PDB file of all heavy atoms in Angstrom:
ATOM      1  N   ASN P  23       1.167  61.438   8.646  1.00 92.00           N
ATOM      2  CA  ASN P  23       1.355  61.107   7.224  1.00 92.00           C
ATOM      3  C   ASN P  23       1.298  59.599   6.970  1.00 92.00           C
ATOM      4  O   ASN P  23       0.901  59.168   5.891  1.00 92.00           O
ATOM      5  CB  ASN P  23       2.689  61.637   6.714  1.00 92.00           C
ATOM      6  CG  ASN P  23       2.699  63.157   6.624  1.00 92.00           C
ATOM      7  OD1 ASN P  23       1.645  63.793   6.672  1.00 92.00           O
ATOM      8  ND2 ASN P  23       3.883  63.737   6.517  1.00 92.00           N
ATOM      9  N   LYS P  24       1.724  58.824   7.950  1.00 95.00           N
ATOM     10  CA  LYS P  24       1.811  57.368   7.744  1.00 95.00           C
ATOM     11  C   LYS P  24       0.655  56.603   8.407  1.00 95.00           C
ATOM     12  O   LYS P  24       0.633  55.378   8.337  1.00 95.00           O
ATOM     13  CB  LYS P  24       3.151  56.856   8.303  1.00 95.00           C
ATOM     14  CG  LYS P  24       4.337  57.350   7.501  1.00 95.00           C
ATOM     15  CD  LYS P  24       5.649  56.911   8.101  1.00 95.00           C
ATOM     16  CE  LYS P  24       6.796  57.399   7.220  1.00 95.00           C
ATOM     17  NZ  LYS P  24       8.105  57.156   7.831  1.00 95.00           N
ATOM     18  N   LEU P  25      -0.269  57.340   8.999  1.00 95.00           N
ATOM     19  CA  LEU P  25      -1.282  56.667   9.812  1.00 95.00           C
ATOM     20  C   LEU P  25      -2.192  55.745   8.996  1.00 95.00           C
ATOM     21  O   LEU P  25      -2.547  54.653   9.457  1.00 95.00           O
ATOM     22  CB  LEU P  25      -2.132  57.688  10.579  1.00 95.00           C
ATOM     23  CG  LEU P  25      -2.920  57.098  11.745  1.00 95.00           C
ATOM     24  CD1 LEU P  25      -1.998  56.511  12.806  1.00 95.00           C
ATOM     25  CD2 LEU P  25      -3.819  58.134  12.374  1.00 95.00           C
ATOM     26  N   TYR P  26      -2.558  56.148   7.792  1.00 95.00           N
ATOM     27  CA  TYR P  26      -3.422  55.284   6.985  1.00 95.00           C
ATOM     28  C   TYR P  26      -2.695  54.000   6.587  1.00 95.00           C
ATOM     29  O   TYR P  26      -3.299  52.927   6.546  1.00 95.00           O
ATOM     30  CB  TYR P  26      -3.928  56.018   5.738  1.00 95.00           C
ATOM     31  CG  TYR P  26      -5.017  57.036   6.018  1.00 95.00           C
ATOM     32  CD1 TYR P  26      -5.135  58.188   5.248  1.00 95.00           C
ATOM     33  CD2 TYR P  26      -5.941  56.841   7.040  1.00 95.00           C
ATOM     34  CE1 TYR P  26      -6.134  59.121   5.501  1.00 95.00           C
ATOM     35  CE2 TYR P  26      -6.936  57.760   7.301  1.00 95.00           C
ATOM     36  CZ  TYR P  26      -7.028  58.909   6.522  1.00 95.00           C
ATOM     37  OH  TYR P  26      -8.020  59.819   6.773  1.00 95.00           O
ATOM     38  N   PHE P  27      -1.424  54.114   6.309  1.00 96.00           N
ATOM     39  CA  PHE P  27      -0.649  52.899   5.998  1.00 96.00           C
ATOM     40  C   PHE P  27      -0.631  51.985   7.231  1.00 96.00           C
ATOM     41  O   PHE P  27      -0.720  50.774   7.114  1.00 96.00           O
ATOM     42  CB  PHE P  27       0.795  53.244   5.600  1.00 96.00           C
ATOM     43  CG  PHE P  27       0.913  54.037   4.335  1.00 96.00           C
ATOM     44  CD1 PHE P  27       1.943  54.960   4.165  1.00 96.00           C
ATOM     45  CD2 PHE P  27       0.019  53.854   3.290  1.00 96.00           C
ATOM     46  CE1 PHE P  27       2.052  55.686   2.989  1.00 96.00           C
ATOM     47  CE2 PHE P  27       0.119  54.578   2.114  1.00 96.00           C
ATOM     48  CZ  PHE P  27       1.143  55.509   1.964  1.00 96.00           C
ATOM     49  N   TYR P  28      -0.501  52.609   8.385  1.00 96.00           N
ATOM     50  CA  TYR P  28      -0.494  51.843   9.635  1.00 96.00           C
ATOM     51  C   TYR P  28      -1.842  51.136   9.834  1.00 96.00           C
ATOM     52  O   TYR P  28      -1.898  49.938  10.110  1.00 96.00           O
ATOM     53  CB  TYR P  28      -0.193  52.779  10.811  1.00 96.00           C
ATOM     54  CG  TYR P  28      -0.173  52.075  12.151  1.00 96.00           C
ATOM     55  CD1 TYR P  28       0.927  51.306  12.542  1.00 96.00           C
ATOM     56  CD2 TYR P  28      -1.256  52.163  13.019  1.00 96.00           C
ATOM     57  CE1 TYR P  28       0.937  50.646  13.768  1.00 96.00           C
ATOM     58  CE2 TYR P  28      -1.252  51.508  14.236  1.00 96.00           C
ATOM     59  CZ  TYR P  28      -0.153  50.755  14.614  1.00 96.00           C
ATOM     60  OH  TYR P  28      -0.152  50.100  15.814  1.00 96.00           O
ATOM     61  N   LEU P  29      -2.936  51.882   9.659  1.00 95.00           N
ATOM     62  CA  LEU P  29      -4.270  51.308   9.829  1.00 95.00           C
ATOM     63  C   LEU P  29      -4.541  50.190   8.824  1.00 95.00           C
ATOM     64  O   LEU P  29      -5.189  49.197   9.147  1.00 95.00           O
ATOM     65  CB  LEU P  29      -5.344  52.391   9.638  1.00 95.00           C
ATOM     66  CG  LEU P  29      -5.591  53.353  10.787  1.00 95.00           C
ATOM     67  CD1 LEU P  29      -6.504  54.483  10.329  1.00 95.00           C
ATOM     68  CD2 LEU P  29      -6.227  52.635  11.970  1.00 95.00           C
ATOM     69  N   ASP P  30      -4.036  50.372   7.613  1.00 95.00           N
ATOM     70  CA  ASP P  30      -4.288  49.385   6.554  1.00 95.00           C
ATOM     71  C   ASP P  30      -3.319  48.210   6.611  1.00 95.00           C
ATOM     72  O   ASP P  30      -3.479  47.255   5.838  1.00 95.00           O
ATOM     73  CB  ASP P  30      -4.176  50.053   5.170  1.00 95.00           C
ATOM     74  CG  ASP P  30      -5.259  51.099   4.950  1.00 95.00           C
ATOM     75  OD1 ASP P  30      -6.268  51.077   5.681  1.00 95.00           O
ATOM     76  OD2 ASP P  30      -5.105  51.939   4.042  1.00 95.00           O
ATOM     77  N   GLY P  31      -2.325  48.266   7.471  1.00 94.00           N
ATOM     78  CA  GLY P  31      -1.317  47.200   7.528  1.00 94.00           C
ATOM     79  C   GLY P  31      -0.513  47.120   6.242  1.00 94.00           C
ATOM     80  O   GLY P  31      -0.186  46.034   5.764  1.00 94.00           O
ATOM     81  N   GLU P  32      -0.214  48.272   5.652  1.00 95.00           N
ATOM     82  CA  GLU P  32       0.455  48.319   4.351  1.00 95.00           C
ATOM     83  C   GLU P  32       1.754  49.126   4.418  1.00 95.00           C
ATOM     84  O   GLU P  32       1.939  49.949   5.319  1.00 95.00           O
ATOM     85  CB  GLU P  32      -0.466  49.000   3.328  1.00 95.00           C
ATOM     86  CG  GLU P  32      -1.712  48.218   2.981  1.00 95.00           C
ATOM     87  CD  GLU P  32      -1.518  47.303   1.778  1.00 95.00           C
ATOM     88  OE1 GLU P  32      -0.374  47.207   1.272  1.00 95.00           O
ATOM     89  OE2 GLU P  32      -2.512  46.685   1.359  1.00 95.00           O
ATOM     90  N   VAL P  33       2.595  48.912   3.438  1.00 85.00           N
ATOM     91  CA  VAL P  33       3.745  49.753   3.100  1.00 85.00           C
ATOM     92  C   VAL P  33       4.849  49.807   4.174  1.00 85.00           C
ATOM     93  O   VAL P  33       6.020  49.661   3.867  1.00 85.00           O
ATOM     94  CB  VAL P  33       3.308  51.209   2.746  1.00 85.00           C
ATOM     95  CG1 VAL P  33       4.510  52.085   2.388  1.00 85.00           C
ATOM     96  CG2 VAL P  33       2.293  51.216   1.610  1.00 85.00           C
ATOM     97  N   LEU P  34       4.479  49.992   5.439  1.00 93.00           N
ATOM     98  CA  LEU P  34       5.466  50.290   6.471  1.00 93.00           C
ATOM     99  C   LEU P  34       6.332  49.083   6.835  1.00 93.00           C
ATOM    100  O   LEU P  34       5.868  47.937   6.797  1.00 93.00           O
ATOM    101  CB  LEU P  34       4.754  50.787   7.740  1.00 93.00           C
ATOM    102  CG  LEU P  34       3.849  51.998   7.570  1.00 93.00           C
ATOM    103  CD1 LEU P  34       3.125  52.290   8.881  1.00 93.00           C
ATOM    104  CD2 LEU P  34       4.641  53.208   7.110  1.00 93.00           C
ATOM    105  N   THR P  35       7.558  49.371   7.241  1.00 94.00           N
ATOM    106  CA  THR P  35       8.441  48.311   7.746  1.00 94.00           C
ATOM    107  C   THR P  35       8.058  48.023   9.204  1.00 94.00           C
ATOM    108  O   THR P  35       7.431  48.878   9.866  1.00 94.00           O
ATOM    109  CB  THR P  35       9.907  48.772   7.704  1.00 94.00           C
ATOM    110  OG1 THR P  35      10.039  49.881   8.614  1.00 94.00           O
ATOM    111  CG2 THR P  35      10.336  49.186   6.299  1.00 94.00           C
ATOM    112  N   PRO P  36       8.451  46.852   9.725  1.00 95.00           N
ATOM    113  CA  PRO P  36       8.180  46.565  11.145  1.00 95.00           C
ATOM    114  C   PRO P  36       8.748  47.654  12.049  1.00 95.00           C
ATOM    115  O   PRO P  36       8.138  48.027  13.062  1.00 95.00           O
ATOM    116  CB  PRO P  36       8.882  45.222  11.371  1.00 95.00           C
ATOM    117  CG  PRO P  36       8.914  44.572  10.031  1.00 95.00           C
ATOM    118  CD  PRO P  36       9.067  45.689   9.044  1.00 95.00           C
ATOM    119  N   GLN P  37       9.914  48.181  11.684  1.00 96.00           N
ATOM    120  CA  GLN P  37      10.547  49.247  12.481  1.00 96.00           C
ATOM    121  C   GLN P  37       9.673  50.507  12.502  1.00 96.00           C
ATOM    122  O   GLN P  37       9.456  51.111  13.561  1.00 96.00           O
ATOM    123  CB  GLN P  37      11.936  49.545  11.876  1.00 96.00           C
ATOM    124  CG  GLN P  37      12.654  50.751  12.461  1.00 96.00           C
ATOM    125  CD  GLN P  37      13.071  50.544  13.917  1.00 96.00           C
ATOM    126  OE1 GLN P  37      13.172  49.400  14.381  1.00 96.00           O
ATOM    127  NE2 GLN P  37      13.281  51.629  14.638  1.00 96.00           N
ATOM    128  N   GLU P  38       9.132  50.876  11.341  1.00 96.00           N
ATOM    129  CA  GLU P  38       8.260  52.065  11.272  1.00 96.00           C
ATOM    130  C   GLU P  38       6.985  51.851  12.089  1.00 96.00           C
ATOM    131  O   GLU P  38       6.515  52.770  12.763  1.00 96.00           O
ATOM    132  CB  GLU P  38       7.903  52.368   9.815  1.00 96.00           C
ATOM    133  CG  GLU P  38       9.037  53.000   9.032  1.00 96.00           C
ATOM    134  CD  GLU P  38       8.676  53.180   7.558  1.00 96.00           C
ATOM    135  OE1 GLU P  38       8.236  52.199   6.923  1.00 96.00           O
ATOM    136  OE2 GLU P  38       8.850  54.291   7.031  1.00 96.00           O
ATOM    137  N   ARG P  39       6.442  50.649  12.016  1.00 96.00           N
ATOM    138  CA  ARG P  39       5.235  50.357  12.807  1.00 96.00           C
ATOM    139  C   ARG P  39       5.522  50.496  14.297  1.00 96.00           C
ATOM    140  O   ARG P  39       4.731  51.069  15.046  1.00 96.00           O
ATOM    141  CB  ARG P  39       4.717  48.938  12.515  1.00 96.00           C
ATOM    142  CG  ARG P  39       4.168  48.762  11.111  1.00 96.00           C
ATOM    143  CD  ARG P  39       3.471  47.422  10.943  1.00 96.00           C
ATOM    144  NE  ARG P  39       2.224  47.358  11.721  1.00 96.00           N
ATOM    145  CZ  ARG P  39       1.067  47.884  11.315  1.00 96.00           C
ATOM    146  NH1 ARG P  39       0.982  48.506  10.169  1.00 96.00           N
ATOM    147  NH2 ARG P  39      -0.004  47.794  12.082  1.00 96.00           N
ATOM    148  N   ARG P  40       6.680  49.981  14.718  1.00 96.00           N
ATOM    149  CA  ARG P  40       7.056  50.094  16.141  1.00 96.00           C
ATOM    150  C   ARG P  40       7.200  51.558  16.546  1.00 96.00           C
ATOM    151  O   ARG P  40       6.754  51.978  17.603  1.00 96.00           O
ATOM    152  CB  ARG P  40       8.379  49.351  16.407  1.00 96.00           C
ATOM    153  CG  ARG P  40       8.174  47.873  16.768  1.00 96.00           C
ATOM    154  CD  ARG P  40       9.439  47.298  17.382  1.00 96.00           C
ATOM    155  NE  ARG P  40      10.583  47.402  16.500  1.00 96.00           N
ATOM    156  CZ  ARG P  40      10.868  46.540  15.529  1.00 96.00           C
ATOM    157  NH1 ARG P  40      10.085  45.507  15.315  1.00 96.00           N
ATOM    158  NH2 ARG P  40      11.932  46.704  14.769  1.00 96.00           N
ATOM    159  N   GLU P  41       7.829  52.342  15.671  1.00 96.00           N
ATOM    160  CA  GLU P  41       8.036  53.769  15.984  1.00 96.00           C
ATOM    161  C   GLU P  41       6.693  54.504  16.109  1.00 96.00           C
ATOM    162  O   GLU P  41       6.522  55.360  16.973  1.00 96.00           O
ATOM    163  CB  GLU P  41       8.900  54.432  14.910  1.00 96.00           C
ATOM    164  CG  GLU P  41      10.366  54.042  15.014  1.00 96.00           C
ATOM    165  CD  GLU P  41      11.219  54.670  13.918  1.00 96.00           C
ATOM    166  OE1 GLU P  41      10.842  55.745  13.398  1.00 96.00           O
ATOM    167  OE2 GLU P  41      12.241  54.072  13.571  1.00 96.00           O
ATOM    168  N   ILE P  42       5.758  54.150  15.244  1.00 96.00           N
ATOM    169  CA  ILE P  42       4.431  54.776  15.322  1.00 96.00           C
ATOM    170  C   ILE P  42       3.752  54.380  16.639  1.00 96.00           C
ATOM    171  O   ILE P  42       3.176  55.221  17.336  1.00 96.00           O
ATOM    172  CB  ILE P  42       3.567  54.377  14.102  1.00 96.00           C
ATOM    173  CG1 ILE P  42       4.093  55.077  12.851  1.00 96.00           C
ATOM    174  CG2 ILE P  42       2.083  54.721  14.314  1.00 96.00           C
ATOM    175  CD1 ILE P  42       3.426  54.657  11.557  1.00 96.00           C
ATOM    176  N   GLU P  43       3.829  53.110  16.974  1.00 96.00           N
ATOM    177  CA  GLU P  43       3.203  52.640  18.224  1.00 96.00           C
ATOM    178  C   GLU P  43       3.827  53.332  19.439  1.00 96.00           C
ATOM    179  O   GLU P  43       3.108  53.730  20.368  1.00 96.00           O
ATOM    180  CB  GLU P  43       3.341  51.117  18.335  1.00 96.00           C
ATOM    181  CG  GLU P  43       2.303  50.410  17.474  1.00 96.00           C
ATOM    182  CD  GLU P  43       2.661  48.981  17.115  1.00 96.00           C
ATOM    183  OE1 GLU P  43       3.610  48.420  17.707  1.00 96.00           O
ATOM    184  OE2 GLU P  43       1.990  48.437  16.217  1.00 96.00           O
ATOM    185  N   GLU P  44       5.134  53.485  19.426  1.00 96.00           N
ATOM    186  CA  GLU P  44       5.802  54.177  20.541  1.00 96.00           C
ATOM    187  C   GLU P  44       5.317  55.620  20.638  1.00 96.00           C
ATOM    188  O   GLU P  44       5.047  56.135  21.716  1.00 96.00           O
ATOM    189  CB  GLU P  44       7.324  54.155  20.337  1.00 96.00           C
ATOM    190  CG  GLU P  44       7.946  52.807  20.708  1.00 96.00           C
ATOM    191  CD  GLU P  44       9.392  52.694  20.248  1.00 96.00           C
ATOM    192  OE1 GLU P  44      10.017  53.752  19.955  1.00 96.00           O
ATOM    193  OE2 GLU P  44       9.879  51.559  20.159  1.00 96.00           O
ATOM    194  N   HIS P  45       5.196  56.259  19.469  1.00 96.00           N
ATOM    195  CA  HIS P  45       4.729  57.647  19.446  1.00 96.00           C
ATOM    196  C   HIS P  45       3.291  57.740  19.977  1.00 96.00           C
ATOM    197  O   HIS P  45       2.977  58.621  20.783  1.00 96.00           O
ATOM    198  CB  HIS P  45       4.815  58.215  18.029  1.00 96.00           C
ATOM    199  CG  HIS P  45       4.444  59.654  17.946  1.00 96.00           C
ATOM    200  ND1 HIS P  45       5.378  60.670  17.930  1.00 96.00           N
ATOM    201  CD2 HIS P  45       3.233  60.268  17.909  1.00 96.00           C
ATOM    202  CE1 HIS P  45       4.752  61.833  17.879  1.00 96.00           C
ATOM    203  NE2 HIS P  45       3.450  61.620  17.854  1.00 96.00           N
TER     204      HIS P  45
END
Side-chain angles (χ1 to χ4, degrees):
Chain P
N23 290 345
K24 292 177 178 173
L25 197 62
Y26 285 148
F27 296 148
Y28 180 78
L29 282 170
D30 295 342
E32 292 269 5
V33 180
L34 304 175
T35 64
Q37 172 67 21
E38 285 175 308
R39 292 189 69 81
R40 271 196 301 277
E41 286 178 26
I42 288 174
E43 281 159 12
E44 282 169 18
H45 184 98

